[in-house]
Amino acid sequence: MCFSAEASFGASVILGTVGVFTLKKANTTSEKFFASLPLVFGVQQFVEGFLWIAIENNYVQLQNISTHLFIIIAQIIWPVLVPFSIMLMEPEKKRKSLLNMFLLFGGIASVYLAYCIAIYSVKSEIDRHHIFYALGFPHVNKGAIALFYVIPTAISPFISSIKRMKILGALILGTFIFTQYFYTKHAISVWCFFAAIMSAEVWVIMNRLNKDKNQTTSPEMN
Protein backbone atom coordinates (compact mmCIF):
# COMPACT_ATOMS: atom_id res chain seq x y z
CA MET A 1 0.00 0.00 0.00
CA CYS A 2 1.24 3.50 -0.79
CA PHE A 3 1.42 6.50 1.50
CA SER A 4 2.08 5.32 5.08
CA ALA A 5 2.17 2.60 7.71
CA GLU A 6 -1.26 3.70 8.93
CA ALA A 7 -2.71 3.26 5.45
CA SER A 8 -1.21 -0.22 5.15
CA PHE A 9 -2.44 -1.35 8.56
CA GLY A 10 -5.88 0.14 7.86
CA ALA A 11 -6.06 -1.74 4.57
CA SER A 12 -5.00 -4.96 6.27
CA VAL A 13 -7.87 -4.65 8.77
CA ILE A 14 -10.41 -4.03 5.98
CA LEU A 15 -9.06 -6.86 3.85
CA GLY A 16 -8.92 -9.20 6.83
CA THR A 17 -12.56 -8.44 7.65
CA VAL A 18 -13.60 -9.03 4.04
CA GLY A 19 -11.59 -12.26 4.10
CA VAL A 20 -13.40 -13.57 7.20
CA PHE A 21 -16.82 -12.92 5.66
CA THR A 22 -15.69 -14.42 2.34
CA LEU A 23 -14.44 -17.60 4.00
CA LYS A 24 -17.80 -18.00 5.70
CA LYS A 25 -19.34 -18.22 2.24
CA ALA A 26 -17.08 -21.14 1.28
CA ASN A 27 -18.81 -24.50 1.61
CA THR A 28 -16.10 -26.78 0.22
CA THR A 29 -12.34 -27.11 0.52
CA SER A 30 -11.88 -26.08 -3.11
CA GLU A 31 -13.81 -22.86 -2.49
CA LYS A 32 -11.78 -22.00 0.61
CA PHE A 33 -8.59 -21.46 -1.38
CA PHE A 34 -10.31 -18.84 -3.54
CA ALA A 35 -12.12 -17.34 -0.55
CA SER A 36 -8.78 -16.92 1.24
CA LEU A 37 -7.46 -14.40 -1.34
CA PRO A 38 -8.61 -11.30 0.63
CA LEU A 39 -6.88 -12.65 3.76
CA VAL A 40 -3.63 -13.13 1.85
CA PHE A 41 -3.93 -9.56 0.58
CA GLY A 42 -4.52 -8.47 4.18
CA VAL A 43 -1.40 -10.26 5.41
CA GLN A 44 0.61 -8.65 2.61
CA GLN A 45 -0.56 -5.18 3.61
CA PHE A 46 0.11 -5.94 7.28
CA VAL A 47 3.68 -6.88 6.38
CA GLU A 48 4.15 -3.69 4.37
CA GLY A 49 2.87 -1.68 7.34
CA PHE A 50 5.77 -3.02 9.40
CA LEU A 51 8.07 -2.31 6.49
CA TRP A 52 7.09 1.37 6.58
CA ILE A 53 7.88 1.48 10.32
CA ALA A 54 11.19 -0.34 9.80
CA ILE A 55 12.38 2.00 7.03
CA GLU A 56 11.31 5.17 8.83
CA ASN A 57 13.03 4.11 12.07
CA ASN A 58 16.04 2.39 10.50
CA TYR A 59 15.19 -1.03 11.94
CA VAL A 60 17.46 -2.92 9.58
CA GLN A 61 16.57 -6.48 10.56
CA LEU A 62 12.82 -5.82 10.54
CA GLN A 63 13.16 -4.07 7.18
CA ASN A 64 14.98 -7.03 5.69
CA ILE A 65 12.43 -9.54 7.00
CA SER A 66 9.42 -7.45 5.96
CA THR A 67 10.85 -6.78 2.50
CA HIS A 68 11.42 -10.46 1.82
CA LEU A 69 8.02 -11.50 3.18
CA PHE A 70 6.24 -8.95 1.00
CA ILE A 71 8.14 -10.00 -2.12
CA ILE A 72 7.56 -13.69 -1.39
CA ILE A 73 3.80 -13.10 -1.30
CA ALA A 74 3.87 -10.83 -4.34
CA GLN A 75 6.10 -12.89 -6.60
CA ILE A 76 5.96 -16.48 -5.37
CA ILE A 77 2.51 -17.01 -3.87
CA TRP A 78 0.26 -14.99 -6.21
CA PRO A 79 1.16 -16.59 -9.57
CA VAL A 80 0.38 -20.00 -8.08
CA LEU A 81 -2.48 -19.31 -5.67
CA VAL A 82 -4.67 -17.43 -8.15
CA PRO A 83 -4.79 -20.06 -10.94
CA PHE A 84 -4.80 -22.92 -8.41
CA SER A 85 -7.80 -21.54 -6.50
CA ILE A 86 -9.75 -20.84 -9.70
CA MET A 87 -8.88 -24.25 -11.19
CA LEU A 88 -10.14 -26.07 -8.10
CA MET A 89 -13.59 -24.50 -8.40
CA GLU A 90 -13.91 -24.89 -12.18
CA PRO A 91 -16.62 -27.48 -13.06
CA GLU A 92 -15.89 -27.78 -16.81
CA LYS A 93 -13.13 -30.25 -17.75
CA LYS A 94 -11.76 -28.36 -20.78
CA ARG A 95 -11.48 -25.10 -18.87
CA LYS A 96 -9.98 -26.94 -15.91
CA SER A 97 -7.28 -28.42 -18.17
CA LEU A 98 -6.43 -24.98 -19.56
CA LEU A 99 -6.25 -23.58 -16.03
CA ASN A 100 -3.87 -26.39 -15.12
CA MET A 101 -1.60 -25.19 -17.92
CA PHE A 102 -1.80 -21.64 -16.54
CA LEU A 103 -0.94 -23.05 -13.12
CA LEU A 104 2.15 -24.60 -14.70
CA PHE A 105 3.14 -21.17 -16.05
CA GLY A 106 2.66 -19.70 -12.60
CA GLY A 107 4.71 -22.46 -11.06
CA ILE A 108 7.58 -21.79 -13.45
CA ALA A 109 7.47 -18.08 -12.61
CA SER A 110 7.33 -18.81 -8.87
CA VAL A 111 10.26 -21.22 -8.94
CA TYR A 112 12.41 -18.82 -10.94
CA LEU A 113 11.51 -15.83 -8.75
CA ALA A 114 12.05 -17.89 -5.58
CA TYR A 115 15.53 -18.72 -6.84
CA CYS A 116 16.22 -15.02 -7.52
CA ILE A 117 14.93 -13.96 -4.11
CA ALA A 118 17.16 -16.55 -2.43
CA ILE A 119 20.31 -15.73 -4.42
CA TYR A 120 20.18 -12.03 -5.32
CA SER A 121 19.68 -8.82 -3.34
CA VAL A 122 16.17 -7.74 -2.34
CA LYS A 123 15.98 -4.25 -0.85
CA SER A 124 13.38 -1.58 -0.20
CA GLU A 125 13.27 2.17 0.35
CA ILE A 126 10.73 4.99 0.59
CA ASP A 127 10.64 6.96 -2.63
CA ARG A 128 8.11 9.75 -3.29
CA HIS A 129 5.51 8.48 -0.81
CA HIS A 130 5.76 4.94 -2.13
CA ILE A 131 7.88 1.94 -1.26
CA PHE A 132 10.32 1.04 -3.99
CA TYR A 133 11.51 -2.56 -4.10
CA ALA A 134 15.01 -2.81 -5.56
CA LEU A 135 15.37 -6.34 -6.88
CA GLY A 136 18.87 -7.26 -8.03
CA PHE A 137 17.71 -10.06 -10.27
CA PRO A 138 19.70 -11.03 -13.38
CA HIS A 139 18.91 -9.31 -16.66
CA VAL A 140 17.04 -12.13 -18.37
CA ASN A 141 14.14 -11.66 -20.78
CA LYS A 142 11.86 -9.67 -18.48
CA GLY A 143 9.06 -9.80 -21.02
CA ALA A 144 9.01 -13.59 -20.84
CA ILE A 145 9.03 -13.58 -17.04
CA ALA A 146 6.23 -10.99 -16.98
CA LEU A 147 4.22 -13.14 -19.38
CA PHE A 148 4.61 -16.23 -17.19
CA TYR A 149 3.50 -14.10 -14.22
CA VAL A 150 0.61 -12.20 -15.84
CA ILE A 151 -0.99 -15.19 -17.60
CA PRO A 152 -1.73 -17.14 -14.40
CA THR A 153 -2.57 -14.15 -12.19
CA ALA A 154 -4.53 -11.92 -14.58
CA ILE A 155 -5.77 -14.14 -17.41
CA SER A 156 -6.90 -17.20 -15.42
CA PRO A 157 -10.18 -15.59 -14.30
CA PHE A 158 -11.17 -15.04 -17.95
CA ILE A 159 -10.98 -18.81 -18.54
CA SER A 160 -13.34 -19.69 -15.70
CA SER A 161 -17.01 -20.45 -16.34
CA ILE A 162 -17.98 -19.17 -12.88
CA LYS A 163 -20.19 -16.09 -12.91
CA ARG A 164 -18.50 -12.71 -12.44
CA MET A 165 -15.02 -14.28 -12.51
CA LYS A 166 -14.29 -12.34 -15.72
CA ILE A 167 -14.98 -9.10 -13.84
CA LEU A 168 -12.28 -10.11 -11.36
CA GLY A 169 -9.94 -10.79 -14.28
CA ALA A 170 -10.68 -7.38 -15.77
CA LEU A 171 -9.90 -5.72 -12.42
CA ILE A 172 -6.61 -7.58 -12.02
CA LEU A 173 -5.49 -6.99 -15.60
CA GLY A 174 -6.69 -3.38 -15.70
CA THR A 175 -4.98 -2.39 -12.46
CA PHE A 176 -1.82 -4.20 -13.56
CA ILE A 177 -1.66 -2.21 -16.81
CA PHE A 178 -2.50 1.03 -14.98
CA THR A 179 0.23 0.63 -12.36
CA GLN A 180 2.82 -0.52 -14.90
CA TYR A 181 2.16 2.56 -17.04
CA PHE A 182 1.73 5.27 -14.40
CA TYR A 183 3.77 3.86 -11.50
CA THR A 184 6.42 1.79 -13.28
CA LYS A 185 9.06 2.18 -10.59
CA HIS A 186 6.67 1.49 -7.71
CA ALA A 187 4.36 -0.97 -9.46
CA ILE A 188 4.97 -3.84 -7.03
CA SER A 189 3.70 -1.81 -4.10
CA VAL A 190 1.07 0.30 -5.86
CA TRP A 191 -0.62 -2.66 -7.53
CA CYS A 192 -1.46 -3.96 -4.07
CA PHE A 193 -3.31 -0.70 -3.42
CA PHE A 194 -6.09 -2.15 -5.55
CA ALA A 195 -6.31 -5.31 -3.43
CA ALA A 196 -9.42 -3.97 -1.65
CA ILE A 197 -11.29 -3.66 -4.95
CA MET A 198 -10.32 -7.14 -6.05
CA SER A 199 -11.12 -8.58 -2.62
CA ALA A 200 -14.60 -7.05 -2.75
CA GLU A 201 -15.18 -8.83 -6.05
CA VAL A 202 -14.00 -12.13 -4.53
CA TRP A 203 -16.68 -11.69 -1.86
CA VAL A 204 -19.32 -10.94 -4.52
CA ILE A 205 -18.34 -14.08 -6.47
CA MET A 206 -18.55 -16.27 -3.36
CA ASN A 207 -21.88 -14.71 -2.37
CA ARG A 208 -23.25 -15.39 -5.85
CA LEU A 209 -22.05 -19.00 -5.75
CA ASN A 210 -23.79 -19.46 -2.41
CA LYS A 211 -27.08 -18.08 -3.69
CA ASP A 212 -26.96 -20.22 -6.83
CA LYS A 213 -26.33 -23.36 -4.76
CA ASN A 214 -29.20 -22.55 -2.40
CA GLN A 215 -31.54 -22.04 -5.34
CA THR A 216 -30.43 -25.34 -6.88
CA THR A 217 -30.79 -27.42 -3.70
CA SER A 218 -33.98 -25.82 -2.33
CA PRO A 219 -37.20 -27.78 -3.06
CA GLU A 220 -39.56 -26.37 -5.67
CA MET A 221 -42.55 -24.45 -4.40
CA ASN A 222 -45.88 -26.01 -5.25
Side-chain angles (χ1 to χ4, degrees), residues 120-138:
Y120 300 99
S121 66
V122 177
K123 299 179 181 179
S124 60
E125 62 183 50
I126 296 175
D127 178 61
R128 290 179 293 175
H129 306 291
H130 303 293
I131 290 182
F132 168 60
Y133 293 91
L135 309 178
F137 298 172

Side-chain angles (χ1 to χ4, degrees), residues 140-150:
V140 295
N141 190 326
K142 292 185 178 181
I145 297 301
L147 191 64
F148 273 76
Y149 185 97
V150 172

